[in-house]
Amino acid sequence: NEGAWRARKAGISIATGTYIGFCDADDLPMLQMYGCLLQKAISTSADITICAFQRVDVKNGRLLKKELTKFGDAIYEVVDNPGTLASINNALWNKLFFASILKTGLRFDDPPRVLEDMMLLCAVYPSCKRIAFISDPLYRYIVNPGSAMATVEKRELDQLVDSLRQTREWIAKQTDDARFREIFDLMTFIHFGLSVPLRLQCSNEKNWCQSVREIFLLLDQYFPGYQKNPYTTLRYNLRNHMENGKIMLL
């Protein structure tokens, strides 16, 4: 087992179809999900097609929440407003990709164990012109608090930062549009600056406060665009239906 990143890259390299999708082994896609995603992708010429999803409790099967329904059945032109990318969930499992945007992509010699979905998405976004949404929740994401993916060890931070830096450099090579770097820095703040400290806490990290301080020093040093980010301003969010309103408040 060489991890999710290498497994996905191996699959992408040998795939011959026009579209590529990913599914986590412990989740439940609806029977019609890929058919609906494919039909939407073809009818809209979307590079990425995304459906809403359900969060379901692993213990009792209870529906916890429906997510990503806010986009309705919209068709979104990425270049018009990259800020929307920050409000899309960073998982791969509720998405269908036009294969060519995945074929020539970011590579890691030592892939990270966590946040790899976010890095792959951010690496393909500069090549993505159109995203189409489906409002029906066609994927059941099984929430398992005991999952190994819910925790991070402090020893993993250096590798994680190195992978994030490589991703940022990759994006800079793919496009001169600084907005994609701003989006990446913002998403790094969300997932590395906010999510990773919570995962460290789940790992019972003894020096948690010190670890959080180190994380924010790393953010300031390598991903400075998260500060005074144009997509978290009050003006931007008032113009865009409070798209990133929760992040703005943080």
Side-chain angles (χ1 to χ4, degrees), residues 83-181:
T84 298
L85 299 173
S87 61
I88 297 173
N89 74 311
N90 71 312
L92 303 180
W93 34 251
N94 64 327
K95 300 172 177 65
L96 189 68
F97 297 83
F98 192 58
S100 64
I101 70 171
L102 292 173
K103 286 290 185 178
T104 56
L106 177 68
R107 287 174 173 79
F108 296 125
D109 292 330
D110 187 17
R113 186 180 65 85
V114 296
L115 304 192
E116 74 280 1
D117 285 13
M118 184 271 276
M119 294 183 218
L120 180 58
L121 276 176
C122 287
V124 303
Y125 278 152
S127 302
C128 177
K129 295 180 180 178
R130 179 175 295 168
I131 296 175
F133 294 93
I134 296 176
S135 59
D136 292 334
L138 301 177
Y139 192 93
R140 292 167 65 87
Y141 172 69
I142 308 302
V143 178
N144 183 3
S147 168
M149 301 307 291
T151 62
V152 173
E153 302 291 338
K154 188 181 179 185
R155 57 184 170 79
E156 297 181 89
L157 292 185
D158 288 342
Q159 178 198 26
L160 194 50
V161 170
D162 185 59
S163 298
L164 287 164
R165 291 178 64 189
Q166 288 181 57
T167 306
R168 195 177 195 273
E169 290 169 4
W170 167 267
I171 293 169
K173 291 176 181 177
Q174 301 309 302
T175 178
D176 294 329
D177 192 338
R179 295 180 298 173
F180 288 98
R181 292 191 295 279

Side-chain angles (χ1 to χ4, degrees), residues 8-23:
R8 286 171 182 153
K9 297 300 280 188
I12 290 168
S13 68
I14 63 174
T16 58
T18 306
Y19 295 92
I20 295 175
F22 305 91
C23 181

